[in-house]
Amino acid sequence: MRRFRTSGLVKAIALGVSALVCGCGSSYKHAANLDTPNQGIVCLGDSLTSGYGATPGNSYPEHLSRLLGERVVNAGIEGDTSGDALARLKEDVLSRSPRLVIVLVGGNDFLQQIPREQTVENVERIVAQCVAARSMVILIHLKAGVLSDPYYDGFEAVAERHGAVFVPEILKGIFGKPRLMSDQIHPNDQGYAVMAERIAEAAAPLLEAADEVRRANETP
């Protein structure tokens, strides 16, 4: 079993962990590309991925790397919209042939008032291209509105259509908590650590499921 290197909120998770994958409830067996030959993990996103507000070594991808015990590439760029991330997807992500891509975009779309439909379309194209390149995908949702949520339904539907793992409301309980924030928008080291733990709760059983498929395929 894949084990977390932490004694914090995250515990070692077996395949039975509850998750929403392709509309299949608690099973990761129907996630796309469990049989991928690709290697490595890439995190695609904006400043929440690059680690704005964190001290060196404390972005969420770096925390995640320590939790999973695997190398994680940080492909986050501050200020990126979903369209910007889509435009550099091939060069920054797909060129690496990653086993797993973790996508976190939408915050800058909301701030720049990009139409919701365009954001969801961009996210769908990102996820679809990753799946076509034989990568597994975790799609992270960020609640952007205060009274309403423009992205939840659209992002969830994209994940279901393409066999991605959907992780909702990544900043829930972090946003607005001074002890977890570096400014009004970005987490601090502690906040990014909580984000990484939540993502690891989805990534660890997904990777374990893929490991099982790989072992089964290697068995004579």
Side-chain angles (χ1 to χ4, degrees):
M1 179 186 297
R2 185 177 300 271
R3 297 186 180 277
F4 290 113
R5 298 181 178 182
T6 179
S7 59
L9 297 176
V10 178
K11 307 297 182 182
I13 300 177
L15 291 177
V17 68
S18 177
L20 180 61
V21 182
C22 193
C24 300
S26 62
S27 174
Y28 280 82
K29 297 297 185 180
H30 299 283
N33 295 325
L34 288 176
D35 61 345
T36 178
N38 296 356
Q39 299 289 336
I41 300 172
V42 178
C43 299
L44 175 68
D46 51 32
S47 57
L48 291 176
T49 297
S50 70
Y52 186 92
T55 59
N58 286 293
S59 66
Y60 100 68
E62 290 166 304
H63 282 294
L64 185 65
S65 177
R66 292 189 287 270
L67 289 172
L68 297 177
E70 298 197 20
R71 181 171 180 266
V72 177
V73 174
N74 188 331
I77 294 182
E78 295 168 18
D80 259 15
T81 64
S82 60
D84 296 325
L86 174 61
R88 61 185 179 86
L89 179 66
K90 180 178 290 187
E91 180 177 357
D92 289 359
V93 178
L94 301 185
S95 65
R96 301 177 184 273
S97 298
R99 183 185 190 194
L100 172 62
V101 181
I102 300 171
V103 180
L104 172 53
V105 294
N108 290 309
D109 293 59
F110 181 78
L111 293 174
Q112 296 182 29
Q113 299 183 346
I114 293 172
R116 173 195 175 278
E117 293 75 16
Q118 184 62 57
T119 299
V120 173
E121 180 181 343
N122 290 338
V123 168
E124 178 138 35
R125 291 175 65 187
I126 290 170
V127 172
Q129 289 184 39
C130 290
V131 170
R134 299 204 64 187
S135 297
M136 298 180 290
V137 179
I138 294 177
L139 178 58
I140 310 298
H141 159 259
L142 170 71
K143 184 178 180 181
V146 176
L147 299 178
S148 62
D149 188 340
Y151 302 135
Y152 187 102
D153 290 345
F155 282 24
E156 182 183 39
V158 167
E160 290 178 353
R161 280 194 293 272
H162 295 281
V165 177
F166 180 63
V167 177
E169 296 191 46
I170 191 63
L171 291 183
K172 185 175 182 179
I174 301 173
F175 189 80
K177 299 291 181 65
R179 68 182 182 85
L180 298 176
M181 300 290 289
S182 65
D183 58 26
Q184 291 184 332
I185 297 176
H186 301 95
N188 59 18
D189 292 358
Q190 281 185 281
Y192 283 119
V194 174
M195 286 177 61
E197 289 172 342
R198 291 173 177 172
I199 295 169
E201 288 177 345
L206 178 65
L207 293 169
E208 181 65 25
D211 287 345
E212 287 200 350
V213 170
R214 183 171 292 178
R215 287 191 293 267
N217 290 341
E218 292 173 351
T219 301

